[in-house]
Amino acid sequence: MFDLKGYEGALLEGAWITLQVALLSLLLAVTLGLLGAVAKLSSVRPARWLATLYTTVIRGIPDLVLMMLIFFGGQVLLNNSLYSLNESLNEWLGGGDPGHEWTSYVPDYIEISPFIAGIITIGFIFGAYMAETFRGAILAVDKGELEAARAYGMRPLLVFRRILFPQMMRHALPGLGNNWLVLLKTTALVSIIGLDDMVRKASLAAGATQLPFTFYMAVALIFLLFTTLSTSMLRWAERHYAIPGR
């Protein structure tokens, strides 16, 4: 249907990178989301304030701006912090000795790869959305069942695994699935920071062949394939966690 001029392999390679970024970002986002949800429901006030600040700020700034800010600003902040740490260590270990030779006790410069930066950025962004999804799902679980489990003598971890998590997932799946689909499409932004993902591969191929419609349509169809498969898996998960008879 499409003559990709021999760039099929490059697009498939980019699609695999895109899928890796999406899945690893999802893992990070779910982890941050669960921690954020627990913090927002915690009786510890500083934890609630921190989680609320995180979700409010992240959801109020465009994804592209956050990606550029974290990739470039985060790298500068990290390397400045490492340099300051080296200075402090040299002052402390040198003991004021003017003959003390400067030593790099920690790396002076760390270059964050676009792949890692993309995963961290997207995971950090969607962790805020996941936190609200999980918070609502936890609140929807019948407190009586949790109290009954504790009265039965179950430990907190067992209560979470046997009672809270299955019930919570039933309520969280629609929001979780929607967040995943949006996250999957957001991975297209990582090409901005130099990652050779599917979108960047298509951009380079389009520039070389002067066939932008062909390559971007191929990318669109691959994304559509990913989202269609994801929707099918989410429907299976909803049936798996559904209450029998309903």
Side-chain angles (χ1 to χ4, degrees), residues 118-153:
I119 292 169
I120 293 173
T121 303
I122 295 175
F124 191 69
I125 291 169
F126 281 88
Y129 295 96
M130 294 290 188
E132 292 299 330
T133 298
F134 289 134
R135 185 183 71 88
I138 291 172
L139 289 174
V141 176
D142 186 359
K143 292 183 179 179
E145 294 188 24
L146 300 177
E147 292 172 358
R150 295 189 191 101
Y152 189 72

Side-chain angles (χ1 to χ4, degrees), residues 148-164:
R150 295 189 191 101
Y152 189 72
M154 288 187 179
R155 296 182 178 180
L157 185 60
L158 187 59
V159 172
F160 175 80
R161 184 169 62 87
R162 296 292 298 275
I163 308 297
L164 180 59

Side-chain angles (χ1 to χ4, degrees), residues 197-232:
D197 68 326
M198 180 168 56
V199 175
R200 183 169 172 79
K201 296 278 191 185
S203 177
L204 294 173
T209 61
Q210 300 300 310
L211 296 171
F213 178 81
T214 298
F215 286 98
Y216 287 122
M217 179 58 72
V219 169
L221 291 175
I222 293 173
F223 268 116
L224 185 60
L225 175 63
F226 286 163
T227 55
T228 301
L229 292 174
S230 298
T231 302
S232 300

Side-chain angles (χ1 to χ4, degrees), residues 1-231:
M1 181 178 180
F2 292 104
D3 182 9
L4 298 177
K5 307 294 183 181
Y7 284 94
E8 295 88 351
L11 278 182
L12 290 175
E13 182 183 348
W16 172 236
I17 293 174
T18 295
L19 193 58
Q20 289 180 76
V21 170
L23 291 172
L24 292 173
S25 297
L26 177 66
L27 180 61
L28 178 59
V30 168
T31 302
L32 291 175
L34 285 171
L35 292 174
V38 171
K40 294 195 80 168
L41 296 172
S42 171
S43 58
V44 181
R45 187 173 297 178
R48 289 203 312 272
W49 286 351
L50 186 61
T52 301
L53 178 66
Y54 166 56
T55 56
T56 302
V57 170
I58 294 302
R59 291 186 300 160
I61 301 176
D63 295 350
L64 180 58
V65 175
L66 276 171
M67 184 165 292
M68 303 291 280
L69 186 63
I70 293 174
F71 179 65
F72 293 108
Q75 190 156 276
V76 170
L77 180 62
L78 173 62
N79 288 313
N80 286 343
S81 300
L82 290 173
Y83 182 78
S84 298
L85 179 59
N86 267 325
E87 276 196 329
S88 300
L89 288 172
N90 275 277
E91 288 177 7
W92 178 52
L93 296 173
D97 180 10
H100 176 72
E101 188 175 334
W102 172 274
T103 305
S104 293
Y105 295 100
V106 294
D108 283 329
Y109 182 81
I110 294 178
E111 184 174 357
I112 302 174
S113 73
F115 182 77
I116 299 298
I119 292 169
I120 293 173
T121 303
I122 295 175
F124 191 69
I125 291 169
F126 281 88
Y129 295 96
M130 294 290 188
E132 292 299 330
T133 298
F134 289 134
R135 185 183 71 88
I138 291 172
L139 289 174
V141 176
D142 186 359
K143 292 183 179 179
E145 294 188 24
L146 300 177
E147 292 172 358
R150 295 189 191 101
Y152 189 72
M154 288 187 179
R155 296 182 178 180
L157 185 60
L158 187 59
V159 172
F160 175 80
R161 184 169 62 87
R162 296 292 298 275
I163 308 297
L164 180 59
F165 184 76
Q167 300 263 27
M168 177 192 74
M169 286 304 296
R170 184 177 301 126
H171 298 291
L173 269 175
L176 181 64
N178 184 63
N179 284 332
W180 158 248
L181 293 176
V182 177
L183 182 155
L184 180 59
K185 293 182 290 184
T186 301
T187 57
L189 295 178
V190 296
S191 62
I192 299 296
I193 60 176
L195 181 65
D196 279 335
D197 68 326
M198 180 168 56
V199 175
R200 183 169 172 79
K201 296 278 191 185
S203 177
L204 294 173
T209 61
Q210 300 300 310
L211 296 171
F213 178 81
T214 298
F215 286 98
Y216 287 122
M217 179 58 72
V219 169
L221 291 175
I222 293 173
F223 268 116
L224 185 60
L225 175 63
F226 286 163
T227 55
T228 301
L229 292 174
S230 298
T231 302

